[in-house]
Amino acid sequence: SPFPLLRGQLCLLSRFGQMTMEALPVSTYILAVWNLIIRPPRRRYSRLELCGQFGNRFRVGNVIVNRINYEITNQRGHTIVCTLFEPEKRPQQGEEKACVVICHGNACCRLDAFHQVHCFLPLNIAVCCFDFSGSGMSGGEYVSLGFFERDDLASVIQNLRERRAYTRVGVWGRSMGATTAVLHSARDPSLAGVVADSPFSDLWNLMKEIVNSKLRVPDIMCRPVFEGIRLAIQQQAG
């Protein structure tokens, strides 16, 4: 990596948050913000946490639920880990087979979607959740705040339709996952519906919010810092 001191610099910036641009070079800010945007803290978890309160077969209300953990490969060759909770009872002939795909937020993972099981399974609607590339236990090194994540979502939905015979698929996303859902829905009009909880509409403003929440970058320096970030992201993550 061309940024071997990145994490150390980020720690220094967090520790000395009162420093001004005169005290630290622009390159230091670029490296720290670069890390915050495309390599935020990764939400790792154990097999025990993955199992959580749900086994491979359990009951929610009057519905018996089967749980499946599986992996697929996205368009960039990264492994995407998925969990599917589906009613054991198969739809009768002529009935739709429905599923809601839950998209997690930045620095989060599929475990955040487990509480939705109690919401949808009593309605005989399956729940599918997964870790985006660069998040959780999936492959990949970086996140893109929705740009490449929409391809991950497309791969998950394609698998549900072609390999698991789901005929009605909706998407529920939060934060980065909500933006991903909106980006994907623009090219998939067959979705049954989209719930977008707190998506961002402007990447520039989002980057400023991320920077201001962690670092103290004067407004006058935002544009050169962000231009440096853009070049660094293109070089490192494509």
Side-chain angles (χ1 to χ4, degrees), residues 43-70:
R43 173 69 168 89
R44 301 284 190 178
Y45 49 88
S46 66
R47 182 177 295 274
L48 182 61
E49 290 177 294
L50 176 61
C51 292
Q53 59 180 307
F54 303 116
N56 293 331
R57 187 173 185 268
F58 57 95
R59 182 183 294 272
V60 176
N62 296 322
V63 177
I64 297 176
V65 180
N66 289 326
R67 170 203 177 125
I68 306 168
N69 296 320
Y70 61 99

Side-chain angles (χ1 to χ4, degrees), residues 30-47:
I30 291 174
L31 295 178
V33 177
W34 176 90
N35 193 50
L36 287 171
I37 292 173
I38 71 170
R39 185 58 278 154
R42 193 165 188 145
R43 173 69 168 89
R44 301 284 190 178
Y45 49 88
S46 66
R47 182 177 295 274

Side-chain angles (χ1 to χ4, degrees), residues 7 29 32 38 40 62-63 83 89 101 104 109 125 132 136 147 153 167 176 192 194 200 204:
R7 285 180 173 79
Y29 279 88
I38 71 170
N62 296 322
V63 177
T83 297
K89 183 180 178 181
V101 181
H104 65 75
C109 67
I125 299 175
F132 284 119
F147 184 79
L153 176 58
T167 58
M176 181 183 77
V194 174
F200 68 88
W204 178 271

Side-chain angles (χ1 to χ4, degrees), residues 202-217:
D202 188 292
L203 183 59
W204 178 271
N205 289 333
L206 175 67
M207 291 172 64
K208 289 182 68 174
E209 289 177 7
I210 292 174
V211 169
N212 290 332
S213 68
K214 300 292 184 181
L215 309 172
R216 296 177 181 273
V217 180

Side-chain angles (χ1 to χ4, degrees), residues 37-40 72 74-76 78 80 101 103-107 130-135 139-157 171 174-185 187 200 237:
I37 292 173
I38 71 170
R39 185 58 278 154
I72 64 172
N74 69 7
Q75 298 175 14
R76 291 179 292 158
H78 299 155
I80 303 298
V101 181
C103 299
H104 65 75
N106 196 19
F130 65 101
D131 292 344
F132 284 119
S133 174
S135 299
E141 183 63 26
Y142 305 108
V143 302
S144 65
L145 300 176
F147 184 79
F148 287 122
E149 284 77 9
R150 61 180 172 173
D151 295 333
D152 297 342
L153 176 58
S155 297
V156 170
I157 292 174
V171 180
R174 187 179 70 83
S175 186
M176 181 183 77
T179 299
T180 300
V182 172
L183 289 172
H184 176 70
S185 67
R187 60 187 186 183
F200 68 88

